[in-house]
Amino acid sequence: MTAERVDVPDGFSRRSFLRHAAWAGAGIAVAVSGGVVTTEMLGAGMLTADASTPRTKADFSFVQISDSHLGFEGKPNPDVAETFQQSIDLVNALPDAPDFVIHTGDLTHFSTVAQFDQAKQMMSAIRAPHVFTLPGEHDSIDGTGRTYLKIFGAGTVGTGWYSFDHKGVHFISLVNTTSQQVLGHLGSEQISWVVKDVAGLSSDTPIVVFTHIPLFDVYTKWGWGTGDAPELLHHLKRFASVTCLNGHIHQVISRVEGKVGFHSCNATAYPLPKPGRAAGPIPVVTPPGQLHKYIGIREADFAPKFHHPLVSDRLLPR
């Protein structure tokens, strides 16, 4: 099955284009230059992987945000809509508008029509040419993600996967959260679709994969991993550069395995405990006035100097 092809202005020739996507949660800005990905987290005091290295002028940049959890109510964050709006304001304050923004899941907390409408309305204020989404498990509480797909699924395949090309980089957005699959599972149909999707690409094409749940094993006891990720990555091993960006775990964790770089990002809603340091992945209540030290967004740049993304994170300003 092939999704609708839509031509998008400014070099955004897309495969399986998600026409009415949205963005929320933690954020990464990603930039591309010379076909290589670099990333930065947005926030007060831009941090880079090497603080002594000046920021390289990128070919282009994009922002990833994740886990806004609109509809959540509780002590960890009494107003998730406010911190989500602060994240949007932070993106809109960037000196250069990102080429696109992507939300990597859990836009909502309970998958209600009202929560999805709120997410869509808030994200309509993002100053970027294109805004994309993929569903998290909280966006699929209705069983198969029907409500999510009705609002955000135009031009996607299956339960919401799609791909697009931008300035020499191939982006793939996958779903590993819907309840008709095992949580943290891609499934054979989706992996077969990826195989066909990349078949015509040159091996020197940079690949960026977006998912909600990590494609590397962070802490499987809590479901922080994707069981069939090795099968997916096997089909991508011929590519010289593969970058996997995810949300779900509400904290920044990065890993490089061979030619593949993995990066999890913060949430804009609330932090979760470090792997194994609590009874389970239960929202963390921070000391009074300290929430902004644990949530934020990320920016990533594609620049020719680096072979793997340099990730810089910004916390939400108070």
Side-chain angles (χ1 to χ4, degrees):
M1 179 177 181
T2 302
E4 176 183 0
R5 178 185 291 272
V6 179
D7 290 326
V8 181
D10 303 323
F12 234 101
S13 175
R14 300 193 47 191
R15 300 180 185 185
S16 309
F17 175 56
L18 182 58
R19 209 175 296 170
H20 300 293
W23 185 50
I28 303 172
V30 181
V32 184
S33 181
V36 178
V37 186
T38 60
T39 64
E40 271 182 61
M41 192 92 169
L42 304 174
M46 188 79 74
L47 302 175
T48 61
D50 179 356
S52 65
T53 303
R55 187 176 178 184
T56 302
K57 178 64 177 177
D59 283 358
F60 72 88
S61 65
F62 67 87
V63 172
Q64 177 199 358
I65 52 179
S66 196
D67 297 274
S68 51
H69 288 272
L70 292 176
F72 173 85
E73 295 180 358
K75 289 183 178 180
N77 186 344
D79 194 344
V80 293
E82 179 184 13
T83 51
F84 181 40
Q85 183 60 54
Q86 290 170 347
S87 302
I88 293 172
D89 293 343
L90 189 54
V91 175
N92 289 343
L94 287 171
D96 299 307
D99 284 31
F100 65 90
V101 170
I102 184 164
H103 185 301
T104 51
D106 284 353
L107 293 83
T108 70
H109 201 65
F110 296 114
S111 303
T112 68
V113 172
Q115 289 166 9
F116 283 125
D117 284 346
Q118 182 183 16
K120 186 175 182 179
Q121 182 176 356
M122 293 181 70
M123 291 185 287
S124 68
I126 294 175
R127 295 171 189 164
H130 309 285
V131 183
F132 309 125
T133 61
L134 60 90
E137 77 278 11
H138 283 267
D139 301 317
S140 306
I141 292 176
D142 59 359
T144 59
R146 293 185 306 271
T147 306
Y148 168 87
L149 290 172
K150 196 174 293 185
I151 297 174
F152 296 107
T156 66
V157 181
T159 54
W161 58 86
Y162 58 95
S163 68
F164 60 88
D165 299 294
H166 186 54
K167 295 185 178 179
V169 180
H170 189 66
F171 295 89
I172 306 171
S173 179
L174 301 178
V175 179
N176 55 2
T177 57
T178 57
S179 60
Q180 69 183 67
Q181 304 166 350
V182 177
L183 190 65
H185 189 74
L186 295 162
S188 58
E189 181 184 3
Q190 192 169 195
I191 292 176
S192 295
W193 176 85
V194 172
V195 172
K196 294 177 182 178
D197 180 65
V198 302
L201 299 177
S202 167
S203 59
D204 61 358
T205 303
I207 304 292
V208 176
V209 182
F210 299 115
T211 58
H212 181 65
I213 296 175
L215 291 178
F216 65 105
D217 288 339
V218 178
Y219 194 63
T220 56
K221 185 177 180 180
W222 287 356
W224 288 4
T226 301
D228 53 357
E231 181 181 354
L232 170 75
L233 296 173
H234 171 77
H235 293 296
L236 299 179
K237 67 179 182 179
R238 70 180 178 90
F239 294 98
S241 173
V242 178
T243 303
C244 302
L245 303 178
N246 67 272
H248 187 57
I249 67 173
H250 295 219
Q251 58 198 276
V252 174
I253 295 180
S254 296
R255 180 181 299 177
V256 175
E257 297 179 0
K259 296 181 292 185
V260 183
F262 303 91
H263 301 277
S264 299
C265 66
N266 277 331
T268 61
Y270 48 77
L272 289 176
K274 297 297 182 182
R277 296 186 186 177
I282 301 168
V284 172
V285 178
T286 58
Q290 301 298 305
L291 177 62
H292 287 69
K293 294 183 178 181
Y294 298 91
I295 58 177
I297 64 175
R298 175 181 290 163
E299 182 184 11
D301 299 332
F302 277 84
K305 183 176 180 180
F306 306 107
H307 296 291
H308 283 286
L310 292 180
V311 178
S312 299
D313 297 319
R314 288 194 186 193
L315 302 176
L316 293 189
R318 296 192 62 187

